[in-house]
């Protein structure tokens, strides 16, 4: 399911790039430019962190799901603005499948 959702959303985001800003939220973000998009990514990252802390203490996960969706969505808009797609990120994650995070870190000389 994950890749179908990303594929459909990627197609929608691509189509919205040239839409009129008053007709679409995504188009309005592109129209405002990268700084506005990055502001939204930062906001949603902060809201995700707060929702995750709340989920840990309350056991209620609804908000962390919603905030993470907002973060992923705005990150995809950022990538689209830069001419990239979810596929670029999925390829990078796939490339890392056989690489242990600890080994990769050590190979960079960060042994902490
Ligand atoms: N997945 C999303 C999605 N997730 C979140 N959002 C919007 O992201 C916005 C940001 O939320 P905030 O909580 O910051 O609220 P806000 O106060 O309205 O934001 P600001 O005024 O501060 O900018 C809200 O307006 C949400 O509706 C989304 N808007 C669109 N999509 C997808 O993108 C498609 C294209 O949308 P349009 O471009 O609007 O047609 C949609 O069909 C959806 O599939």
């Amino acid at each position: 399911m994950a890749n179908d959702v990303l594929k459909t959303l990627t197609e929608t985001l691509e189509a919205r790039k040239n839409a009129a800003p008053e007709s679409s939220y995504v188009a309005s973000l592109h129209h405002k430019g990268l700084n506005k998009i990055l502001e939204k990514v930062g906001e949603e990252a902060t809201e995700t962190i707060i929702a995750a802390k709340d989920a840990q203490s309350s056991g209620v996960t609804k908000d962390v799901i919603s905030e993470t969706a907002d973060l992923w969505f705005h990150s995809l808009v950022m990538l689209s603005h830069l001419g990239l797609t979810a596929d670029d990120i999925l390829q990078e994650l796939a490339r890392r499948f056989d690489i242990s995070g600890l080994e990769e870190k050590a190979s960079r000389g960060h042994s902490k």
Side-chain angles (χ1 to χ4, degrees):
M1 172 178 121
N3 284 0
D4 285 347
V5 172
L6 285 177
K7 187 168 177 291
T8 302
L9 186 52
T10 296
E11 287 166 2
T12 304
L13 295 185
E14 197 52 40
R16 293 298 193 273
K17 263 179 121 169
N18 298 314
E22 56 282 4
S23 70
S24 146
Y25 176 67
V26 174
S28 77
L29 284 177
H30 286 299
H31 188 74
K32 287 173 186 162
L34 183 62
N35 284 352
K36 178 64 188 181
I37 296 169
L38 296 179
E39 187 186 304
K40 295 303 298 179
V41 171
E43 251 179 62
E44 302 304 349
T46 304
E47 286 169 12
T48 298
I49 290 167
I50 294 166
K53 294 294 286 182
D54 287 349
Q56 188 179 43
S57 50
S58 70
V60 179
T61 54
K62 187 173 115 340
D63 286 354
V64 74
I65 291 171
S66 169
E67 296 300 347
T68 304
D70 283 351
L71 176 59
W72 285 21
F73 165 72
H74 285 90
S75 298
L76 289 170
V77 175
M78 174 196 73
L79 292 171
S80 171
H81 196 79
L82 298 171
L84 298 167
T85 69
D87 263 348
D88 294 294
I89 311 309
L90 293 176
Q91 275 175 30
E92 174 61 15
L93 289 172
R95 187 188 67 77
R96 298 178 186 179
F97 276 167
D98 294 327
I99 307 171
S100 145
L102 292 177
E103 281 169 26
E104 190 277 336
K105 198 168 187 175
S107 75
R108 286 189 275 130
H110 300 183
S111 53
K112 215 161 54 143

